[in-house]
Amino acid sequence: MSTDQDLPAKQLSMVIAAAAVRQLPDVPLPPGYTLRTYRPGDAGNWLTLLHQAGFDSWTLERFVPYMREAERVQGSHCIQYDDQLVAATFASHRRPAPPEGRLDYVIAHPDHSGKKLGKTVCTAVLRYLVARGYQHIFLLTDDS
């Protein structure tokens, strides 16, 4: 489980309550794009996408233990176009009481920008976390 101690000191945070998540509209995908959850065997594709988004410190040795958290495996979503992952975000557990979740590493391939793919994966993960009982979901971002 990730903890707040794992986070860099200079991070901005946004919080959304479960009631607000329930009011989010559906975000339609353009033709040819498919929203789905993380699957075994996806690690290499997620790493490629993380690297394209500038998260160069991710390695397979870091990714595999990160994906051992059940909430993360079941709730992380991505968007596939042909055989390529083009957007993704992780679902994470933040703390048990009160139940809080977290969106981690919202990433999108720059060649597919302007299609609301980030909004789509975030909405899917938010809905997943609320369905699991999380009352607040956090998104942390670097101030740069």
Side-chain angles (χ1 to χ4, degrees), residues 13-25 94 99-103 119 122-130 133-140:
S13 64
M14 294 177 272
V15 183
I16 188 168
V21 171
R22 290 184 193 99
Q23 301 299 316
L24 291 174
R94 187 166 186 249
E100 294 176 345
R102 188 169 74 202
L103 290 174
K119 187 174 185 175
C122 286
T123 300
V125 170
L126 289 168
R127 288 177 174 166
Y128 169 83
L129 291 169
V130 167
Y134 291 93
Q135 296 303 304
H136 294 94
I137 297 103
F138 289 74
L139 170 66
L140 303 166

Side-chain angles (χ1 to χ4, degrees), residues 32-97:
Y33 291 84
T34 305
L35 175 69
R36 65 175 180 81
T37 56
Y38 176 83
R39 297 177 187 159
D42 275 348
N45 291 327
W46 279 64
L47 285 171
T48 297
L49 190 55
L50 282 159
H51 293 166
Q52 289 168 335
F55 297 109
D56 298 326
S57 65
W58 279 93
T59 63
L60 193 57
E61 293 75 24
R62 180 179 175 196
F63 187 86
V64 169
Y66 188 77
M67 291 307 290
R68 286 191 184 125
E69 184 179 304
E71 207 74 275
R72 194 168 288 130
V73 170
Q74 296 167 10
S76 296
H77 282 70
C78 59
I79 295 175
Q80 186 170 328
Y81 183 77
D82 291 330
D83 291 333
Q84 180 184 20
L85 296 186
V86 296
T89 191
F90 298 102
S92 295
H93 173 80
R94 187 166 186 249
R95 67 174 57 116

Side-chain angles (χ1 to χ4, degrees), residues 27-30 33 111-118 120:
V27 184
L29 282 171
Y33 291 84
D111 290 349
H112 298 265
S113 65
K115 295 178 173 56
K116 299 183 181 180
L117 304 180
T120 302

